[in-house]
Amino acid sequence: MASETSETPSASRYVVGIDLGTTNSALAYVDTQSSSTDVRDFPIAQLVAPGTVETRDTLPSFHYEPATGELPPHALKLPWGEPEAGYAVGIWAREHGGEVPSRLVQSAKSWLCHSGVDRLAELLPWHAAPDATRLSPVEASARYLAHLRGAWNQAHADAPLEQQDVVLTLPASFDEVARELTVKAAARAGLPRVVLIEEPQAAFYAWLATQGDQWQPVVEAGQKILICDIGGGTSDFTLLRVRRQSDGKLQFHRVAVGEHLLLGGDNLDLALAHHIERRLGGDGKLEPRAWGMLVQASRRAKETLLSAGAPETLTVNIRSGGSRLIGGSRQVELTCDEVEQLIFEGFLPQVELNAQPVARRSGFQEFGLPYAPDAAMTRYLAAFLSAHRHAGDGPGATATDVDPARPAIVLFNGGFFASPALQRRLLDVLGSWFNRPGQPHWEPAVLENRRLDLAVARGAAYYGLVRRGVGVRIAAGLARSYYIGLADAAGRQSAMCVAPAGVEEGQTVELAAQRFRLVTGAPVEFPLFVSSTRLTDSPGVLCEIDPLQMTPLPPIRTVLQADKSRGAAAGAIEVTLESQLTEIGTLELWCREVDGPRRWRLQFDVRAATQTDRTGHTGAGEQQGLVEQSAIDTCHAIVARTFGGEASTTGETIPPESVVKRLAEALDMSRADWPPSLLRALWSLVFDGEAGRRRGAQHESRWLHLLGFALRPGYGMALDDWRVGRTYKLLQQKLAFPSAQGRAEWWILWRRLAGGLLAGQQRALAEPVVAELRAAVRARQRGRSIDYRPAPHEGAECWRALGSFELLDAGWKEELGEIALQLAKHEKQPVLRQAQVWALGRLGARQPVYGPLNCTLAPDVVERWIGALVDLRSPPDSLPLALMQLARKTDDRYRDVSPSARDRAANALTELNAPAHFIELVRHGGQLAEAEQGLVFGEALPHGLQLVGG
């Protein structure tokens, strides 16, 4: 599917195609004022050495920021742009950055589609040097595009890139969020108007561009064309179908697109680096700096040994750079056969056509990216061809002896296939699936693609011409089916198809049969699912939510505002839904009033979706079921009689200290068993009774306690972000009764809701306390008494809340940990000492509870804490839990503490008689048990809700 970000402008002189690649970017163009409309490559000026600018066919997608004083003045100067940028992208950034990986940004495109982190946050380089400037994946992508824009404008001062028709490519498997962020990156780069096209389509357009009018004899009606596009970061599989139109002409139809697979050349580099590492030092691991250098060396070795005319052997040299290597050797000799065998068996193994990918954790997690669970690309391809065996079959399709999963033609694209050996291997696997004994040997026709590194950019430029009516168009409607999640009164989950596969851009799908009652003035949220296998469902079809066929997306949400000027009454409005595939490649849902003309758009929440996915529609929270309305009415009466309001005039007044007990008795259910749906309904009742907390200190304490208890852990259910936001806004004012108990409950509430707070909100809550703690430390250093001395219970809960604020920046977390450690050494109040050590465990945890992995502290800091905690006199009961979190093995060399630190922690846990599973988690890793999740969180979690990082 191609799409554009705004109305098409008046025709520009140039049509430009940009391939924003994971490993390399490229630019091609067509000069429409030339006598020839051939697609031309644009050589890109870039730094190839400090102070040296030359042009190359591609721009490596690498970003390097030198340290202060590392280079002489003006070493990074480019022919365009003032002042000097202070960073470099391209060849020199790639080559030099390989020697200093802590200052190198790479694979930004893979991070752009990583739903497990905030993609708008400054998190790259993933393991940056302390003085390096971190970039968001969007900003890094924008800098690559800005470099292309600068290079183009330098060469075409009379036709700046921002005024041309620009077609920007992206993987076919990019979800809606990644598409939106790609557009955002282009806008930051000064390209506010771009057209999007999927890379496999662009690769096929590049082939069409080379054929002129000679393509028709190559294809036949009914044939399937398989496009295998495997680049540095992703594997994209696409199927085209050749169809004959009523006028007898042939047309290409895109009929299927594979699931998103973060699996490509980067994974080959990691696999080869692991292989070399084992040869260097047995079962041990290189230190992070040496490992980063080895990965870059492995990439170069792979490219050399898999190229046409490759040498039989190659020596890989690993410079220590001051880092300790495990083995004595610094060199490894690789053979071409050795590398081919490693890649064949690991990535292109011979499998059966009915094979399915293995759903296990990938071993390649060094850069924090969620790589595909199974490295075997052939298993994913087998599953793709099998699932789409009948994709594009027209009505009345007849059975044949040929398996309909068999493609007639294959187009290889992406740097992975620069190796003829890898192309040959995949063809052999395809042949094993479809050749039969006693029948003539079959092999698909292979379309020529001479420049795998430039084809996508060339095809994008050609597509720009197609949009002007020149060339051959691929008919490409919606490649997937989209569904809205629904629940009946009993809580049973189902999904309704709102946008079936095949919908064309701008086409509206009306769903008049299903009606909804929506409340104005409050957010409404629809769980959204997508399927690339259920391609025949019709609009309005209800079906079960099958996790094997449906992938959850971040929800679509909006607030329906009634137009009071038109006399619209507030309350529930009956609406129907309609969907539309927009021209920017995203799905829009509209609510249409049944008995009126009003319409509301359900807005896709890109900002929320770029953060760690905390939405609850895919979790077990809703699956715990919905309680009857009578139970909620009972709760309402008890809350009203406790915290006041109109209902308090009837029935007895309930003392605040008894409210939880009365609720449990009325529901005939222990509070530990209250399902999430009941808790969130209770939150609404307590929130609405906020005025009642001002009746006295005890009322305020119990109100805070019940409000936080009902909303814990701050995420996991639909609309929790909205609930937490309203709670935070309401409680910006001071406590009405700032007693020690009230302040303690205040901190308990924020500890419970920490996972739903934004980073800025956590910082605002922590800032006053951190300031007082700093003053107390300075006073201690000067031999004075400590001024900051809260009551023990209040101070303990404050520390637990601070430890739960995982979105604080690393500097704050390290400072808080150091303060907690120093105080714990001398603290005489057991309850405070317990909390300080507990907070240390959360602040330095190797596996965050809910925060993105870039929030974790450096291992050397945590190793220092482990040593200090092991040496504590009279260790508190919270020490085993803290040690387990600090030393827990993750198999990520950038997060894990050293083996010696893990051994020391494990030995200490043994001496402390810690649970056996704590020791197992430290020595071998694994997942937290349910009870352990409660310990880490600070109390039991609601049934069905789990810690994100458990």
Side-chain angles (χ1 to χ4, degrees), residues 79-98:
W80 61 90
E82 289 287 348
E84 189 172 332
Y87 63 84
V89 302
I91 286 180
W92 180 77
R94 181 189 66 191
E95 299 305 316
H96 184 69

Side-chain angles (χ1 to χ4, degrees), residues 412-644:
F412 292 117
N413 192 62
F416 179 87
F417 290 115
S419 164
L422 297 184
Q423 290 192 29
R424 182 67 260 164
R425 173 68 170 194
L426 191 54
L427 290 173
D428 290 343
V429 173
L430 283 170
S432 72
W433 291 343
F434 299 111
N435 277 308
R436 298 290 181 267
Q439 296 182 358
H441 179 77
W442 169 87
E443 189 171 279
V446 178
L447 300 181
E448 186 178 36
N449 188 351
R450 294 180 180 176
R451 288 299 301 266
L452 295 145
D453 55 341
L454 300 177
V456 167
R458 291 172 174 177
Y462 177 84
Y463 174 68
L465 281 182
V466 170
R467 295 180 69 250
R468 297 189 180 190
V470 179
V472 181
R473 177 182 289 270
I474 301 170
L478 191 62
R480 304 173 177 88
S481 297
Y482 288 79
Y483 303 80
I484 284 292
L486 304 174
D488 61 20
R492 290 185 293 268
Q493 305 289 315
S494 61
M496 182 176 69
C497 181
V498 294
V503 171
E504 299 288 343
E505 294 174 14
Q507 181 179 346
T508 297
V509 178
E510 296 185 358
L511 303 162
Q514 186 76 32
R515 297 187 176 188
F516 301 85
R517 292 184 65 81
L518 301 180
V519 178
T520 60
V524 291
E525 179 172 278
F526 291 94
L528 186 64
F529 299 86
V530 62
S531 176
S532 61
T533 55
R534 298 182 64 102
L535 304 182
T536 59
D537 287 338
S538 302
V541 166
L542 284 172
C543 54
E544 293 184 2
I545 298 175
D546 184 350
L548 297 179
Q549 293 188 324
M550 296 180 178
T551 302
L553 292 173
I556 288 181
R557 58 166 64 104
T558 193
V559 177
L560 277 66
Q561 300 290 357
D563 187 355
K564 297 180 180 179
S565 66
R566 299 172 57 182
I573 297 176
E574 192 171 44
V575 299
T576 59
L577 294 180
E578 60 184 43
S579 65
Q580 184 179 55
L581 182 62
T582 71
E583 291 187 342
I584 64 168
T586 57
L587 181 69
E588 281 189 351
L589 283 181
W590 291 81
C591 296
R592 180 187 291 276
E593 186 178 18
V594 172
D595 298 321
R598 294 178 295 173
R599 298 170 72 222
W600 295 267
R601 185 175 66 167
L602 300 183
Q603 190 74 37
F604 189 79
D605 191 349
V606 174
R607 174 70 225 194
T610 62
Q611 301 177 14
T612 305
D613 184 9
R614 303 178 206 151
T615 55
H617 59 268
T618 62
E622 282 87 343
Q623 297 175 16
Q624 296 297 309
L626 302 176
V627 296
E628 295 182 9
Q629 184 59 41
S630 60
I632 297 176
D633 293 341
T634 298
C635 293
H636 181 267
I638 293 173
V639 170
R641 284 155 54 191
T642 304
F643 297 108

Side-chain angles (χ1 to χ4, degrees), residues 827-847:
E827 185 58 62
K828 293 182 173 59
Q829 286 285 349
V831 66
L832 272 171
R833 198 162 183 252
Q834 293 270 20
Q836 289 157 355
V837 172
W838 185 93
L840 268 170
R842 283 293 299 273
L843 290 167
R846 301 297 79 203
Q847 177 62 59

Side-chain angles (χ1 to χ4, degrees), residues 238-272:
T238 294
L239 282 176
L240 304 182
R241 197 72 182 249
V242 185
R243 291 174 177 163
R244 191 173 300 281
Q245 301 180 95
S246 58
D247 60 3
K249 295 182 179 179
L250 297 177
Q251 186 177 29
F252 301 103
H253 290 253
R254 196 276 315 280
V255 295
V257 169
E259 300 284 355
H260 177 71
L261 293 176
L262 203 60
L263 181 63
D266 288 352
N267 301 82
L268 271 65
D269 301 342
L270 288 170
L272 185 55

Side-chain angles (χ1 to χ4, degrees), residues 329 364 404 493 604 640 671:
S329 174
F364 306 124
Q493 305 289 315
F604 189 79
R671 74 171 193 162

